[in-house]
Amino acid sequence: MPSTPDVKNELVRIPVPHAGERIAELATILRLAGGLHTISGRIALEAELHTPAIVQRVRKDLAEIYGVRSDAKQMPAASTRPGAPQFVVRVLDGETLARQLGLLDQRRRPIRGLPNRLTTGAPGELAGVWRGAFLARGSVTPPGRSASLEVVCPTNETAMALVGAAGRLGISAKSREIRGQHKVLIRDGEAIGEMLGTMGATAARTEWEELRKARETRNTANRLVNFDDANLRRSAQASVAACARVERALEILGDDIPEHLLYAGELRLSHRDASLDELGARADPVLTKDAVAGRIRRLLAMADKVADERRIPNTEASLPDELDSL
């Protein structure tokens, strides 16, 4: 079953040959996991990350693409809660880098969403955006009733930008504010598999699809079993009801019963669990299902009419109290 660490471990090992895709991934990681701070009059860029492998990937991209030296340190255990980022990557003189990445506008103001050139880029760059978002603040829950792939975003604008990027990739995602956090959610099991594959987590996607199909098969089997049980229960109830009414009909009519209707009633009582098809096959001569049903229906109607004339309980009065309504 693909877990969040498994997916991130697979994504962080993916080689990305195209610079545009690497930049899209890096910019998104720094936007979702980081922030811009002023230190001694200079703009510093920081990003809080979860694993050493992600830290190494970010620092490598900074050095190879932009020639920027970065510092990394592990945060004290006492200052972090379980599941929170454990490492910090910092670029002290980060204004030029922030401008190059599109994280600052022309007036030196931090952007609210994601750089527009990334969310309107080629499919490979859009995949890089989502890969970076997942590495920074993504998580996945297993296939099931509450299966989801989600990304926590710093602002609503960032969430909407991710939703738009997913839409351009042909994958439906939604933005929600949950307990004060802006999240992008993908709930559909098939769409989650597509996004895993689009980001590059092919092994996780294969495992996800196998689990999803196995669960769907199991759910279908359970529905069929429940359906069969319900049919059997209704059939048994119908048989009990029919036999109770036939017994009452014979009591009401006594000897004043046409022979062919009496035969059908006695056939019903002799084989209480048999279906109408089986009753017809047991008759001599053989009768059709409709013929048996018609004779029993006329027998009950005749008995109910006589009961009404005599003002005595009819055939339905003999139904057991615990019998479900049919």
Side-chain angles (χ1 to χ4, degrees):
M1 166 179 315
S3 64
T4 298
D6 292 336
V7 176
K8 290 188 176 183
N9 287 338
E10 183 177 2
L11 291 178
V12 84
R13 294 195 301 267
I14 295 172
V16 182
H18 300 291
E21 297 177 20
R22 294 177 70 184
I23 292 172
E25 178 188 310
L26 176 63
T28 307
I29 289 176
L30 296 177
R31 177 68 186 96
L32 269 66
L36 298 174
H37 308 282
T38 302
I39 301 176
S40 301
R42 295 184 301 175
I43 293 179
L45 194 155
E46 290 185 347
E48 297 181 354
L49 305 170
H50 286 84
T51 69
I54 301 175
V55 170
Q56 183 179 359
R57 186 177 179 94
V58 168
R59 297 187 71 194
K60 180 180 179 182
D61 285 345
L62 287 171
E64 292 182 356
I65 299 174
Y66 295 102
V68 171
R69 180 180 179 276
S70 58
D71 299 321
K73 68 175 183 178
Q74 184 170 1
M75 290 185 280
S79 67
T80 61
R81 63 185 184 279
Q86 305 292 317
F87 304 90
V88 175
V89 173
R90 179 183 292 119
V91 178
L92 285 177
D93 194 1
E95 180 173 350
T96 301
L97 174 64
R99 286 181 179 277
Q100 290 173 322
L101 290 170
L103 302 180
L104 281 178
D105 64 16
Q106 294 180 350
R107 297 183 182 180
R108 299 183 71 207
R109 296 176 305 187
I111 63 170
R112 295 283 300 169
L114 289 173
N116 185 62
R117 59 186 173 82
L118 298 185
T119 55
T120 57
E125 293 175 343
L126 295 173
V129 166
W130 262 90
R131 184 166 56 250
F134 193 89
L135 287 172
R137 291 294 182 267
S139 62
V140 63
T141 55
R145 186 171 297 178
S146 60
S148 70
L149 186 153
E150 67 179 50
V151 177
V152 179
C153 298
T155 64
N156 181 56
E157 291 84 351
T158 310
M160 294 307 299
L162 272 183
V163 170
R168 290 184 176 88
L169 289 167
I171 300 172
S172 177
K174 294 182 179 180
S175 173
R176 293 285 187 271
E177 185 175 350
I178 303 173
R179 293 188 292 276
Q181 287 186 321
H182 299 285
K183 293 186 176 183
V184 177
L185 302 170
I186 301 177
R187 296 285 195 190
D188 180 72
E190 187 173 349
I192 293 172
E194 289 181 16
M195 182 56 80
L196 289 173
T198 298
M199 292 189 297
T202 53
R205 179 183 186 176
T206 299
E207 189 176 356
W208 175 276
E209 291 294 345
E210 290 175 354
L211 286 170
R212 183 177 67 84
K213 291 176 181 178
R215 185 176 290 273
E216 288 179 356
T217 301
R218 184 163 58 251
N219 289 342
T220 300
N222 289 338
R223 283 196 297 270
L224 291 175
V225 168
N226 292 335
F227 179 76
D228 289 342
D229 287 345
N231 280 346
L232 290 172
R233 185 167 59 253
R234 284 194 292 269
S235 178
Q237 290 177 340
S239 177
V240 170
C243 290
R245 293 189 67 192
V246 167
E247 286 179 338
R248 178 59 183 163
L250 297 184
E251 290 178 7
I252 294 171
L253 296 175
D255 296 332
D256 299 328
I257 308 176
E259 185 176 348
H260 66 293
L261 301 186
L262 176 62
Y263 180 73
E266 290 177 340
L267 190 66
R268 171 76 278 176
L269 296 179
S270 299
H271 307 284
R272 292 175 178 265
D273 296 329
S275 66
L276 292 174
D277 280 327
E278 292 169 339
L279 290 179
R282 293 174 183 274
D284 185 17
V286 174
L287 299 173
T288 65
K289 168 185 175 179
D290 292 337
V292 175
R295 292 187 184 186
I296 293 177
R297 187 166 55 247
R298 289 195 294 275
L299 171 65
L300 298 178
M302 180 182 293
D304 286 339
K305 182 178 179 181
V306 171
D308 289 342
E309 292 172 352
R310 297 179 185 175
R311 295 185 178 181
I312 61 175
N314 61 19
T315 59
E316 292 186 356
S318 62
L319 293 175
D321 292 337
E322 68 274 9
L323 195 67
D324 291 343
S325 177
L326 298 174

